[in-house]
Amino acid sequence: MKIICIGRNYAAHIEELKNEKPGKPVVFLKPDTALLKGGASFYYPDFSENIHHELELVLKISKEGKYIQPQFAYRYFEEIGLGIDFTARDLQDQCKAKGLPWEIAKAFNGSAPIGNFKPVSDFSDLKDIDFHLEINGELKQQGNTSLMLFDFATIISYVSQFFTLKKGDLIYTGTPAGVGPVKIGDQLSGFIGTEKMLDFEVK
């Protein structure tokens, strides 16, 4: 399975990192070894001193498809969940400064914690989904799908022009503003609306 991630999909997050607003979705991949399931603890890696949390809504692909037109994109996922795109910001900054790929900052072991999923039928409006992250009970990030630069249909259509989507693939759809560092001992809890979907500790 593939973990497909979308970067720079919320304007406020683009501004806080001083990035350029993209004209098309920014796409990168993580390997399956990045997945962290079932509330397992995230162990802070020794190669970074600045790991940032990035809370994201995650689509679980339900059938194979490529060259998908936007109007048919909703046929290709049946569940939505929450995940964290952990980023070694210090490594990423070093790589970007040299014009190098930054997979080592994004795709390392355990960098993609994944929580529970809800059926699409549970949502009344996919363009109005509230989600937020708490660390040690304190609100750190909050977002709504209405703030996305590229909605679910656009993301699926664009990605499928390059990669065949297969059942079980995960698409991390981008993070809202409020990203920041985590430290050992932090408890991260992610919510869709008021429902806790993700909960784990940094060790």
Side-chain angles (χ1 to χ4, degrees):
M1 55 82 64
K2 300 183 291 297
I3 304 170
I4 300 164
C5 302
I6 305 300
R8 304 182 188 179
N9 201 21
Y10 289 80
H13 174 58
I14 294 170
E15 292 171 7
E16 73 179 347
L17 293 187
K18 297 179 174 58
N19 288 321
E20 292 184 10
K21 186 176 179 180
K24 297 178 181 179
V26 175
V27 181
F28 60 95
L29 302 178
K30 295 185 184 237
D32 59 1
T33 48
L35 276 184
L36 197 63
K37 302 178 181 179
S41 297
F42 171 75
Y43 287 87
Y44 207 109
D46 59 8
F47 52 72
S48 175
E49 297 179 352
N50 193 20
I51 299 290
H52 278 207
H53 59 79
E54 298 189 11
L55 182 71
E56 313 200 6
L57 290 171
V58 181
L59 309 180
K60 184 186 289 186
I61 298 302
S62 57
K63 68 176 182 178
E64 185 171 321
K66 58 183 176 180
Y67 300 108
I68 300 164
Q69 296 303 305
Q71 64 268 32
F72 302 124
Y74 292 105
R75 298 178 182 177
Y76 290 84
F77 68 100
E78 297 175 354
E79 296 177 277
I80 300 172
L82 270 187
I84 299 280
D85 166 22
F86 272 134
T87 304
R89 195 71 71 199
D90 44 0
L91 296 187
Q92 186 185 41
D93 289 344
Q94 293 167 19
C95 292
K96 288 168 68 175
K98 296 177 180 178
L100 299 174
W102 30 259
E103 270 76 9
I104 60 170
K106 285 281 193 180
F108 55 88
N109 291 340
S111 63
I114 192 75
N116 297 327
F117 285 83
K118 292 163 60 78
V120 170
S121 58
D122 282 3
F123 297 91
S124 58
D125 184 357
L126 296 184
K127 295 187 177 182
D128 184 21
I129 301 174
D130 283 312
F131 61 105
H132 71 274
L133 175 70
E134 296 178 4
I135 299 182
N136 306 323
E138 180 182 350
L139 179 65
K140 291 294 184 178
Q141 283 187 273
Q142 56 184 338
N144 185 284
T145 49
S146 65
L147 302 173
M148 285 181 163
L149 299 180
F150 307 105
D151 63 14
F152 294 158
T154 302
I155 290 169
I156 286 175
S157 177
Y158 182 78
V159 167
S160 72
Q161 311 305 308
F162 304 94
F163 311 114
T164 298
L165 297 178
K166 293 190 173 184
K167 184 175 182 179
D169 285 351
L170 300 176
I171 301 180
Y172 281 59
T173 60
T175 193
V179 304
V182 297
K183 63 183 185 301
I184 292 172
D186 281 346
Q187 188 74 30
L188 278 66
S189 303
F191 298 79
I192 295 180
T194 59
E195 184 176 351
K196 185 183 289 187
M197 305 289 290
L198 178 70
D199 194 45
F200 66 95
E201 184 181 0
V202 179
K203 290 187 175 180

